Amino acid sequence: MNLLAVLEVRADGNESWGGFLRFKKGKRCSLVFGLIIMTLVMASYILSGVHQELLISSPFHYGAFPSNPSLTEGENPSDAKEHHHQSSVNNISYVKDYPSIKLIINSITSRIEFTTRQLPDIEELKKQELHMFSVIPHKFLPNSKSPCWYEEFTGRNTTDPYLTNSYVLYSKRFRSTFDTLRKAFWGHLSHVHGKHFRLRCLPHFYIIGQPKCGTTDLYDRLRLHPEVKFSAIKEPHWWTRKRFGIVRLRDGLRDRYPVEDYLDLFDLAAHQIHQGLQASAAEEPSKMNRIIIGEASASTMWDNNAWTLFYDNGTDGEPPFLTQDFIHAFQPDAKLIVMLRDPVERLYSDYLYFASSNKSADDFHEKVTEALQLFENCMLDYSLRACVYNNTLNNAMPVRLQVGLYAVYLLDWLTVFNKEQFLILRLEDHASNVKDTMHRVFQFLSLGPLSEKQEALMTKSPASNTRRPEDRDLGPMWPVTQRLLRDFYGPFNARLAQVLADEAFLWRKT
């Protein structure tokens, strides 16, 4: 029966009745044929005993996965209403793919080897950063907790000290900040024997990582302490990016930001320290200035993507120099704060924050699968460290899988800094008890006590940089995606927990 011919029957002249009869006859045939098919289907359904999936057996049940793949283990069926907008069909297909992706993960984990890196010589570091070593002195003022020193300022009182600062030139949003610095600059110079001196400072402590782990919230609370002053810009990203001329690596290189541009960011804090030093010089010359400077770039711990563009003497694909080598060369006593989070949840949060369009649990799963395959391809030929710091690989991966490999980065930092110089926090603990976290930070930084009012303001304010409402509406990742990521991150979490002697970093229960 030609359906198009039936629908195109014309109802005029003598042909109308013939066409009608032919249509009725065709309809009766179709009805009979349909009844036969339905009978066969129902018979098959009854005989097979499959009462939930008509003629389709439930094909994908693996190990710990529940029969309803939209439910995680221990989750109530009623909770699934929150996920009604997600497609269970795609989730089932991903469960089917689990064994093949698990083989990729097994291939990766079988090649994991935490080796100790070879440290560069100080002379090799100087060759890479001659200008930086000529600007930052070897010794700092003894009566300042922050590493500070005086340097001569040769400009006149009409000279704009920030005229060539790259942060001003390349970002309009920083200009108002530097207008404030410019107005206060001349009044905070020290005048001795006809010469002008400015106080320069580096941070006393760094919040070095990781992204989407609560560093913004920690920063917002900590800067309320009267003894703490941060850089004029929250995340300068100077050590990892700006000193190489990188804003976004995919956009290519700009002129390198000299170290003076970075030091300018601490001028407001330096002005306050300078005032304190002058006041104490008249009363108690040996009195320690208690103001400490902090810097909070969440890229400092992990981002060494620029090394392939500037260092050509790596061994077997591993970078010869890392960010911490240079920080340690100037500040061997620096204090380092790290905020970590279950790497599985960190990755999903990172995806939701940085992905621009088509965000969904399906899309996230596909990107995770692709990233795992790319990482395995690298591990087949190179060491773990070479793959973690591989710029080409990191740019190719659709999600930042490598950022959650905390153990790799921390072990490399521990090759140059002592363990006692680190405070390692978990976002999960911070979220459940902000007051306890902040007390740990105060103790680590040797900060003075707060009044009850100050402490209440610091600890009871709402969390910063939380997930956007539109991202929360997307719901959680698929359970199968979560399982794959737990399999992948498991060995790295185990090593981290071993190094820190704390099983909480296994993230068995987050």
Side-chain angles (χ1 to χ4, degrees):
M1 176 65 67
N2 189 327
L3 181 59
L4 289 177
V6 170
L7 295 177
E8 291 174 356
V9 169
R10 292 174 296 177
D12 60 333
N14 295 330
E15 293 182 355
S16 61
W17 282 103
F20 177 75
L21 292 172
R22 288 194 300 271
F23 175 76
K24 296 287 286 185
K25 182 179 179 181
K27 188 173 182 179
R28 289 196 300 270
C29 292
S30 297
L31 180 59
V32 172
F33 184 72
L35 288 172
I36 294 171
I37 294 298
M38 184 177 294
T39 301
L40 292 173
V41 168
M42 291 301 295
S44 174
Y45 172 67
I46 294 170
L47 291 172
S48 65
V50 182
H51 300 292
Q52 295 180 349
E53 300 172 50
L54 192 62
L55 287 178
I56 304 176
S57 60
S58 181
F60 312 127
H61 298 289
Y62 290 98
F65 288 101
S67 58
N68 183 348
S70 66
L71 300 180
T72 56
E73 194 171 340
E75 185 176 14
N76 294 325
S78 59
D79 296 336
K81 294 177 181 178
E82 299 177 3
H83 316 320
H84 70 276
H85 61 283
Q86 296 177 328
S87 168
S88 61
V89 175
N90 285 340
N91 195 1
I92 292 173
S93 68
Y94 294 146
V95 176
K96 179 183 177 182
D97 294 336
Y98 175 81
S100 60
I101 306 303
K102 176 63 174 169
L103 288 175
I104 292 173
I105 295 172
N106 290 343
S107 173
I108 294 171
T109 55
S110 68
R111 291 173 170 80
I112 293 175
E113 187 178 0
F114 297 99
T115 58
T116 303
R117 62 183 290 256
Q118 183 177 355
L119 295 180
D121 183 82
I122 186 67
E123 295 304 320
E124 294 175 336
L125 295 176
K126 289 180 179 179
K127 290 178 183 178
Q128 301 300 324
E129 296 286 355
L130 288 173
H131 179 69
M132 193 195 312
F133 277 88
S134 70
V135 171
I136 301 176
H138 297 294
K139 293 183 178 181
F140 305 114
L141 296 176
N143 51 349
S144 172
K145 287 183 69 176
S146 293
C148 299
W149 68 97
Y150 283 102
E151 69 175 27
E152 185 178 359
F153 179 71
T154 57
R156 300 179 179 273
N157 60 358
T158 57
T159 302
D160 180 359
Y162 308 111
L163 182 64
T164 60
N165 187 287
S166 302
Y167 285 98
V168 184
L169 296 176
Y170 292 126
S171 181
K172 294 180 180 179
R173 65 190 177 96
F174 296 148
R175 291 178 186 175
S176 61
T177 299
F178 280 93
D179 285 341
T180 303
L181 289 171
R182 194 177 290 109
K183 292 174 184 177
F185 181 80
W186 191 261
H188 291 91
L189 292 180
S190 180
H191 310 285
V192 180
H193 302 305
K195 294 183 178 181
H196 311 300
F197 294 88
R198 66 190 294 188
L199 187 68
R200 288 294 211 179
C201 297
L202 282 168
H204 171 72
F205 72 95
Y206 296 85
I207 300 175
I208 63 175
Q210 291 285 68
K212 308 312 296 177
C213 290
T215 55
T216 298
D217 188 73
L218 179 63
Y219 162 84
D220 284 339
R221 296 181 194 278
L222 189 52
R223 66 180 178 149
L224 296 175
H225 197 290
E227 295 177 8
V228 176
K229 306 298 174 185
F230 278 97
S231 55
I233 299 166
K234 175 188 174 274
E235 293 192 282
H237 296 298
W238 185 79
W239 289 100
T240 55
R241 299 170 187 174
K242 301 301 194 302
R243 72 183 173 104
F244 298 106
I246 296 169
V247 177
R248 285 190 300 259
L249 199 56
R250 63 177 178 271
D251 295 337
L253 298 176
R254 293 176 174 173
D255 292 336
R256 301 181 70 169
Y257 290 28
V259 66
E260 291 90 342
D261 292 1
Y262 180 59
L263 296 174
D264 286 347
L265 302 181
F266 306 105
D267 272 4
L268 277 181
H271 294 339
Q272 294 184 50
I273 293 174
H274 170 66
Q275 288 178 316
L277 291 174
Q278 284 188 317
S280 64
E283 302 172 3
E284 300 178 58
S286 61
K287 184 178 180 181
M288 178 70 68
N289 187 282
R290 294 193 59 81
I291 291 177
I292 61 173
I293 299 175
E295 199 253 71
S297 296
S299 65
T300 307
M301 182 175 178
W302 65 274
D303 189 350
N304 284 274
N305 284 332
W307 81 266
T308 55
L309 304 175
F310 292 89
Y311 309 139
D312 56 3
N313 57 338
T315 303
D316 296 327
E318 296 188 10
F321 311 106
L322 295 176
T323 298
Q324 54 265 38
D325 298 330
F326 294 96
I327 295 178
H328 183 268
F330 300 109
Q331 299 175 258
D333 299 322
K335 289 183 175 289
L336 308 161
I337 300 176
V338 181
M339 182 82 92
L340 302 178
R341 174 187 191 178
D342 179 351
V344 177
E345 296 302 325
R346 193 222 69 81
L347 186 64
Y348 190 51
S349 179
D350 195 75
Y351 162 80
L352 292 176
Y353 186 81
F354 289 106
S356 57
S357 61
N358 301 322
K359 289 183 283 190
S360 68
D362 294 344
D363 183 64
F364 178 66
H365 181 93
E366 291 169 1
K367 284 180 166 56
V368 166
T369 300
E370 181 182 346
L372 288 169
Q373 291 170 331
L374 289 170
F375 198 79
E376 184 208 18
N377 288 339
C378 182
M379 289 286 287
L380 292 175
D381 298 317
Y382 296 96
S383 69
L384 173 61
R385 182 179 292 107
C387 292
V388 168
Y389 295 117
N390 188 304
N391 173 38
T392 303
L393 173 63
N394 291 342
N395 285 336
M397 286 198 293
V399 288
R400 299 196 297 182
L401 199 70
Q402 79 283 5
V403 177
L405 304 180
Y406 310 140
V408 178
Y409 302 115
L410 183 59
L411 286 169
D412 281 352
W413 278 81
L414 288 171
T415 59
V416 290
F417 287 99
N418 294 325
K419 192 174 179 180
E420 293 71 25
Q421 293 175 256
F422 288 86
L423 175 63
I424 313 293
L425 304 169
R426 294 195 331 147
L427 174 59
E428 293 82 6
D429 301 328
H430 177 64
S432 64
N433 193 337
V434 172
K435 187 175 181 178
D436 180 67
T437 298
M438 300 313 299
H439 282 178
R440 291 180 63 190
V441 174
F442 298 161
Q443 184 178 10
F444 177 70
L445 297 176
S446 301
L447 295 173
L450 295 175
S451 67
E452 289 185 11
K453 185 177 180 180
Q454 288 174 319
E455 185 168 301
L457 178 64
M458 180 180 293
T459 59
K460 294 182 180 179
S461 57
S464 301
N465 202 24
T466 56
R467 188 170 295 178
R468 294 171 295 217
E470 60 270 27
D471 291 337
R472 289 198 297 268
D473 291 342
L474 291 173
M477 72 184 83
W478 291 127
V480 65
T481 316
Q482 185 182 64
R483 176 69 179 276
L484 287 168
L485 288 171
R486 293 211 181 286
D487 291 342
F488 171 71
Y489 284 120
F492 299 97
N493 293 345
R495 186 72 172 105
L496 179 68
Q498 182 185 38
V499 171
L500 300 177
D502 188 347
E503 290 191 353
F505 289 94
L506 293 170
W507 282 285
R508 287 175 178 151
K509 293 182 179 180
T510 56

